[in-house]
Amino acid sequence: MQSPVLVLKDSLKRESGAKVHHANIQASKAVADIIRTTLGPRSMLKMLLDASGGIVVTNDGNAILRELDIAHPAAKSMIELSRTQDEEVGDGTTSVIVLAGEMLHVAEAFIDKSYHPTVICRAYVKALEDAIAVLDKIAMSIDVNDRATLLGLVKSCIGTKFTSQFGDLIADLAIDATSTVGVDLGQGFREVDIKKYIKVEKIPGGQLEDSKVLKGVMFNKDVVAPGKMRRKIVNPRIILLDCPLEYKKGENQTNAELVKEEDWGVLLKMEEEYIQNMCMEILKFKPDLVITEKGLSDLACHYLSKAGVSAIRRLRKTDNNRIAKACGAVIVNRPEELQESDVGTGAGLFEVKKIGDEFFAFIVDCKDPKACTVLLRGASKDLLNEVERNLQDAMSVARNILKNPKLLPGGGATELTVSATLKQKSSSIEGIEKWPYEAAAIAFEAIPRTLAQNCGVNVIRTMTALQGKHANGDNAWVGIDGNTGEITDMKERKIWDSYNVKAQTFKTAIEAACMLLRIDDIVSGIKKKQAPGAGPSKPTIETEADADGEQILPD
């Protein structure tokens, strides 16, 4: 068996159209074969070795493909697919690669028969439109305020992941976090920015069950002067700054000529007064906690601690933004421009705790936080990294549901329904496009087939039984249970998928397949190194005969 690791020489060959199509299809199939076994709840794990000798054990399609070092351009564009899917909807990264690989695989027969790629693409686009229409027809709307339904959905979407063995834990965390940061934009639109306003803090130690979503934020900082400043404040008034609380240095090199020795004292006094004035501007508003993104001098620390104010310095901008969202403060650039409305009063408690060897500041019990931190505890770093990847997927699923509350059956039922409907429609399509259209319909069966393979059941029998149930377009909710391999009703087993994820998977996979089919030439833009003193070399066009030998390495 040939290894699915693709290697291409520095200078890519210039090949004829049919050859390029075959090379691209082979490359894409090889990428799909790498992660085909990671689809479904009974999937295999991959162990990834990185350059520094560390290991990652995961079955997250996107995480695996990110680490692959592949030179073939078609394979690279397949890897970009999973990244696109992850950025857009955060789930379905494996499905999109498997589906795109299958779409290209079924197109190979038509390329051999000298079909023009444009004809195949036209049929594929038609199939995509009809597939989306089928999704709209079988989709089921849900109520986003019904937590039990939401929990079941998120659980079924991450049931294929490693953390599914911990029951509702990850799904609960994901729903709590996304519900916290959701903002209503009016007219039924809801903005849920999970990248900006949800921070995941991983702290090794403790048990996974100790993980929780904080009603507020935490960050890895201690107060500037631990002995003098309070480490616990109830209902703190918080001021956020992004300017330094220290003497302003000259913009460029500044020379000062001192005539009398008292002048030195005057200079120092001016510095002190400058800092004192700045601190007084802040203390006017009676804050309990001052946080700045820049430095804070010893003198400023003295004035603040004397007034009983705790201070934290050099905080990340992203953390500062989250604190502002959580406690209702406004980040101020100049202390003299402070207003009462800029002070954050929404937090219930500020506390610095020691966890392990490090100090963490907590701003929690906020009234209506629009940002939060998910605190993950666990036995080891590797476990926590995998839990975080699963949590990101779960939060993406919860976000998709809050944005578009529609469900589709999971377990390959959606794909089988689409496949059956397209097969029926193909008989009414006239002309040469009928055959690629039908092939696209068959390609959708790759998802349930792969699920069956990963369960270890008899694939041919299972697929035949499923096709029989879906043949007349009824039984849209009958699919394969990824744990047992049984053919069951997805509604009963509560195996669901989000509409957004499925629609995006189909669109991305088919559009990518069309793009790769339209490539009929690969021309290298890399210059070969010349021997010193040699004249300009002519561009060489290599023959097709030796194009296949270098593409795939044997085991």
Side-chain angles (χ1 to χ4, degrees):
M1 182 187 158
Q2 288 169 325
S3 161
V5 177
L6 301 153
V7 176
L8 210 68
K9 275 173 53 178
D10 283 1
S11 59
L12 294 167
K13 302 195 178 314
R14 189 178 189 286
E15 304 166 2
S16 70
K19 274 283 186 202
V20 169
H21 286 127
H22 283 299
N24 286 348
I25 290 170
Q26 290 302 326
S28 307
K29 274 162 65 180
V31 172
D33 286 341
I34 291 172
I35 62 164
R36 190 181 292 279
T37 55
T38 66
L39 187 74
R42 285 276 167 261
S43 57
M44 297 284 133
L45 294 164
K46 304 276 182 192
M47 184 180 272
L48 311 173
L49 306 174
D50 61 23
S52 58
I55 60 161
V56 177
V57 178
T58 180
N59 67 351
D60 184 315
N62 185 42
I64 295 163
L65 291 174
R66 258 203 322 256
E67 300 297 327
L68 285 186
D69 184 21
I70 289 184
H72 196 290
K76 271 186 177 163
S77 69
M78 285 288 280
I79 290 169
E80 284 301 316
L81 280 192
S82 90
R83 201 164 295 166
T84 308
Q85 183 79 0
D86 197 56
E87 287 292 322
E88 200 61 36
V89 287
D91 195 20
T93 46
T94 307
S95 312
V96 78
I97 300 284
V98 171
L99 193 54
E102 193 68 17
M103 287 288 170
L104 288 165
H105 173 60
V106 296
E108 200 167 11
F110 300 110
I111 298 284
D112 289 341
K113 290 177 188 163
S114 302
Y115 272 55
H116 197 283
T118 312
V119 175
I120 303 171
C121 292
R122 232 181 359 241
Y124 275 11
V125 170
K126 209 174 266 181
L128 173 62
E129 284 170 10
D130 292 342
I132 299 293
V134 174
L135 293 189
D136 289 331
K137 200 170 102 187
I138 62 170
M140 183 178 95
S141 292
I142 60 156
D143 175 18
V144 287
N145 299 319
D146 180 1
R147 190 181 169 92
T149 311
L150 210 55
L151 189 68
L153 174 70
V154 175
K155 261 178 73 181
S156 71
C157 286
I158 58 160
T160 62
K161 305 279 191 262
F162 164 77
T163 48
S164 57
Q165 63 198 33
F166 298 111
D168 297 353
L169 177 75
I170 295 295
D172 266 328
L173 292 177
I175 292 169
D176 286 343
T178 41
S179 314
T180 303
V181 302
V183 180
D184 280 319
L185 301 175
Q187 296 175 337
F189 288 109
R190 205 171 156 75
E191 180 58 47
V192 185
D193 193 335
I194 57 176
K195 273 207 173 87
K196 214 170 176 185
Y197 297 125
I198 299 178
K199 172 87 180 286
V200 178
E201 281 281 359
K202 306 181 293 253
I203 305 179
Q207 293 184 322
L208 199 60
E209 285 74 23
D210 300 339
S211 304
K212 59 182 177 225
V213 175
L214 302 174
K215 274 199 76 173
V217 290
M218 67 172 280
F219 43 93
N220 191 349
K221 287 274 175 203
D222 193 3
V223 291
V224 182
K228 299 176 188 169
M229 292 179 173
R230 290 178 292 169
R231 276 192 169 149
K232 183 173 182 182
I233 305 169
V234 179
N235 294 331
R237 286 170 59 80
I238 301 174
I239 287 182
L240 303 179
L241 304 169
D242 73 346
C243 57
L245 291 182
E246 52 196 359
Y247 189 70
K248 196 171 181 208
K249 319 253 185 330
E251 290 289 325
N252 40 30
Q253 210 169 2
T254 313
N255 293 326
E257 195 174 322
L258 305 180
V259 184
K260 304 195 289 291
E261 58 185 86
E262 298 90 66
D263 291 355
W264 180 243
V266 172
L267 264 180
L268 291 177
K269 199 156 193 275
M270 283 165 68
E271 263 189 46
E272 284 184 18
E273 280 174 3
Y274 175 79
I275 291 174
Q276 187 178 5
N277 290 340
M278 208 154 44
C279 290
M280 290 310 143
E281 292 285 350
I282 293 168
L283 294 173
K284 261 197 268 180
F285 293 93
K286 299 190 171 47
D288 297 304
L289 176 64
V290 174
I291 299 176
T292 176
E293 292 170 27
K294 307 284 196 306
L296 189 143
S297 68
D298 291 347
L299 193 61
C301 174
H302 161 74
Y303 286 124
L304 293 174
S305 63
K306 208 165 123 188
V309 176
S310 298
I312 290 173
R313 65 182 165 199
R314 297 203 177 88
L315 190 74
R316 282 202 193 108
K317 187 156 203 70
T318 49
D319 282 336
N320 216 8
N321 286 337
R322 270 189 287 273
I323 296 170
K325 279 277 184 186
C327 70
V330 176
I331 299 172
V332 178
N333 295 56
R334 300 168 64 119
E336 56 268 30
E337 289 175 6
L338 263 169
Q339 294 170 353
E340 181 58 39
S341 57
D342 299 334
V343 181
T345 54
L349 176 69
F350 163 73
E351 192 173 12
V352 177
K353 286 184 191 168
K354 191 174 186 186
I355 302 176
D357 294 335
E358 298 189 70
F359 286 97
F360 289 88
F362 290 79
I363 296 174
V364 288
D365 296 342
C366 298
K367 285 179 194 133
D368 184 21
K370 288 294 166 217
C372 66
T373 301
V374 182
L375 175 59
L376 290 182
R377 306 300 307 271
S380 71
K381 264 211 169 111
D382 289 334
L383 175 83
L384 280 175
N385 287 338
E386 180 64 2
V387 171
E388 186 193 12
R389 276 190 289 273
N390 296 172
L391 179 66
Q392 291 292 353
D393 282 359
M395 289 194 303
S396 301
V397 170
R399 178 194 66 187
N400 292 334
I401 295 302
L402 290 173
K403 280 183 148 181
N404 188 359
K406 276 172 155 180
L407 300 187
L408 291 165
T414 303
E415 284 82 3
L416 282 162
T417 308
V418 167
S419 177
T421 313
L422 294 190
K423 277 181 198 163
Q424 283 176 352
K425 273 203 169 178
S426 67
S427 54
S428 63
I429 289 175
E430 293 174 2
I432 198 170
E433 288 173 20
K434 174 188 168 112
W435 310 111
Y437 184 94
E438 200 170 324
I442 294 165
F444 278 107
E445 291 173 2
I447 303 285
R449 189 169 64 242
T450 307
L451 275 174
Q453 278 168 351
N454 292 345
C455 292
V457 293
N458 186 320
V459 178
I460 295 171
R461 273 188 194 159
T462 308
M463 285 305 294
T464 312
L466 278 168
Q467 283 161 351
K469 284 196 182 297
H470 281 270
N472 54 359
D474 297 336
N475 303 328
W477 289 78
V478 173
I480 183 167
D481 183 331
N483 286 310
T484 59
E486 293 170 22
I487 294 172
T488 53
D489 188 321
M490 297 288 115
K491 264 185 191 161
E492 286 172 21
R493 292 284 169 104
K494 291 192 165 52
I495 300 174
W496 290 320
D497 269 334
S498 157
Y499 175 89
N500 273 19
V501 173
K502 268 282 175 273
Q504 187 67 35
T505 304
F506 289 2
K507 286 175 193 166
T508 312
I510 290 181
E511 282 166 15
C514 290
M515 183 188 76
L516 287 172
L517 286 172
R518 283 208 177 98
I519 297 169
D520 71 340
D521 239 339
I522 300 178
V523 185
S524 169
I526 306 166
K527 287 181 183 163
K528 285 188 178 174
K529 285 181 184 167
Q530 289 182 332
S537 62
K538 286 182 183 172
T540 55
I541 296 178
E542 289 161 302
T543 57
E544 294 167 20
D546 53 5
D548 294 334
E550 291 141 11
Q551 211 161 312
I552 300 179
L553 285 179
D555 273 338

